């Protein structure tokens, strides 16, 4: 993949204007409707509504959906439907991956267009690395990318523990929370709708495992409240959509 021009996120907040409806397990409405709906996946013994984009995934002891990383490649999965305005959350754990520098992401408003490392594009990637950094990336269909938010340190990210990632997308505004704390908010409307997914990148020469415990999505017909802000530290230019600076 190759970098394109830089774009920057803008931090903002707004109040709760419309409460979302309760989550169902029957599948959310597609992107061409404003009716609130949703789904919840436990991944205990099945992954109904999901499919594998890349890598090998299996159900681990009736508790998780698990994948072992392939060297120098992405592993990812996607939900079947497309979505425009939503709250998408997942709880998962990443182990290994060469010192904790490599990318783990919620992928939203995306479309699978495999390049040389089985990535998505176009899509937004909301990412963290176990070394304590998060970032937001805009991937294009030709394999190029823009950093919407460069890799930035936050104490909300701890090494080798379960993490709950949450992305809220309403119109051109998106927010990113980790473990209940908002680390980023900003505006971008390059991609207005698409599929959601979960992915991680593994470096060559290192073992790597991801266990997904759960995921859920709620479509939205209005605005929602932000999570409490996390402590956010230094932003470091450099790195890429696959690896944080180190």
């Amino acid at each position: 993949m190759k970098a394109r021009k830089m774009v920057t996120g803008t931090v903002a907040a707004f109040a709760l204007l419309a409460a979302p409806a309760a989550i169902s397990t029957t599948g959310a409405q597609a992107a061409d409707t404003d009716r609130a709906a949703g789904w919840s996946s436990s991944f205990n013994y099945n992954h109904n509504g999901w499919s594998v984009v890349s890598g090998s995934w299996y159900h681990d002891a009736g508790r998780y959906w698990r994948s072992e990383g392939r060297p120098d490649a992405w592993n990812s999965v996607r939900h079947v439907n497309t979505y425009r305005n939503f709250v998408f959350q997942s709880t998962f754990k990443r182990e290994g991956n060469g010192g904790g520098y490599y990318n783990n992401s919620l992928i939203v408003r995306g479309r699978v267009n495999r390049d040389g490392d089985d990535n998505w594009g176009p899509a937004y990637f909301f990412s963290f690395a176990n070394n304590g950094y998060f970032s937001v990336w805009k991937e294009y269909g030709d394999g190029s990318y823009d950093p919407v938010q460069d890799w930035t340190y936050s104490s909300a990210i701890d090494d080798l523990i379960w993490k709950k990632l949450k992305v809220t997308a309403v119109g051109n505004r998106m927010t990113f929370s980790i473990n209940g704390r908002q680390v980023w908010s900003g505006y971008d409307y390059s991609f207005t709708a698409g599929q959601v997914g979960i992915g991680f990148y593994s470096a060559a020469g290192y073992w790597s495992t991801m266990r997904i415990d759960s995921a859920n999505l709620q479509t939205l017909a209005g605005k929602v409240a932000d999570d409490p802000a996390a402590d956010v530290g230094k932003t470091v230019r450099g790195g890429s959509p696959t690896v944080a600076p180190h």
Side-chain angles (χ1 to χ4, degrees):
M1 293 181 291
K2 53 186 180 296
R4 291 166 56 142
K5 60 181 179 60
M6 177 79 67
V7 296
T8 57
T10 303
V11 176
F14 44 53
L16 176 65
L17 297 183
I23 291 177
S24 72
T25 58
T26 58
Q29 300 292 324
D32 58 354
T33 178
D34 289 328
R35 295 174 57 192
W39 48 258
S40 181
S41 301
S42 66
F43 301 118
N44 290 343
Y45 295 100
N46 65 67
H47 51 275
N48 294 338
W50 292 80
S51 62
V52 172
V53 174
S54 57
S56 297
W57 295 77
Y58 61 94
H59 293 279
D60 184 355
R63 300 178 64 188
Y64 315 119
W65 202 13
R66 176 173 174 167
S67 180
E68 310 298 330
R70 299 171 300 145
D72 199 25
W74 282 91
N75 284 20
S76 68
V77 295
R78 59 178 170 175
H79 196 265
V80 64
N81 293 328
T82 60
Y83 307 99
R84 179 174 289 115
N85 298 317
F86 54 83
V87 178
F88 176 44
Q89 302 180 82
S90 181
T91 299
F92 55 83
K93 181 180 182 179
R94 173 73 182 273
E95 296 178 282
N97 83 113
Y101 300 112
Y102 292 89
N103 190 321
N104 316 279
S105 293
L106 292 189
I107 307 166
V108 306
R109 290 180 173 170
R111 185 171 70 243
V112 174
N113 182 10
R114 291 179 176 171
D115 57 19
D117 55 7
D118 289 322
N119 206 351
W120 295 45
Y124 295 106
F125 280 63
F126 291 82
S127 309
F128 78 89
N130 277 341
N131 66 346
Y133 284 80
F134 72 90
S135 59
V136 182
W137 299 88
K138 186 163 54 175
E139 300 270 0
Y140 299 93
D142 63 0
S144 62
Y145 58 86
D146 280 331
V148 180
Q149 173 65 43
D150 280 301
W151 289 101
T152 302
Y153 180 79
S154 174
S155 59
I157 306 168
D158 296 317
D159 189 26
L160 295 181
I161 66 170
W162 291 95
K163 295 180 176 64
K164 184 175 184 178
L165 271 64
K166 173 183 174 183
V167 173
T168 301
V170 181
N172 66 351
R173 185 174 189 264
M174 296 177 287
T175 67
F176 182 24
S177 297
I178 301 175
N179 294 341
R181 295 284 177 173
Q182 183 175 297
V183 295
W184 178 87
S185 68
Y187 293 85
D188 193 284
Y189 212 39
S190 300
F191 315 137
T192 59
Q195 293 182 302
V196 299
I198 302 165
F200 69 106
Y201 185 85
S202 294
Y206 295 100
W207 70 273
S208 179
T209 298
M210 176 177 280
R211 295 176 177 90
I212 306 176
D213 181 66
S214 62
N216 61 76
L217 183 142
Q218 173 67 63
T219 63
L220 301 174
K223 298 177 182 179
V224 297
D226 288 340
D227 289 327
D231 292 331
V232 175
K234 182 179 180 182
T235 295
V236 180
R237 296 191 183 280
S240 73
T242 60
V243 59
H246 58 283

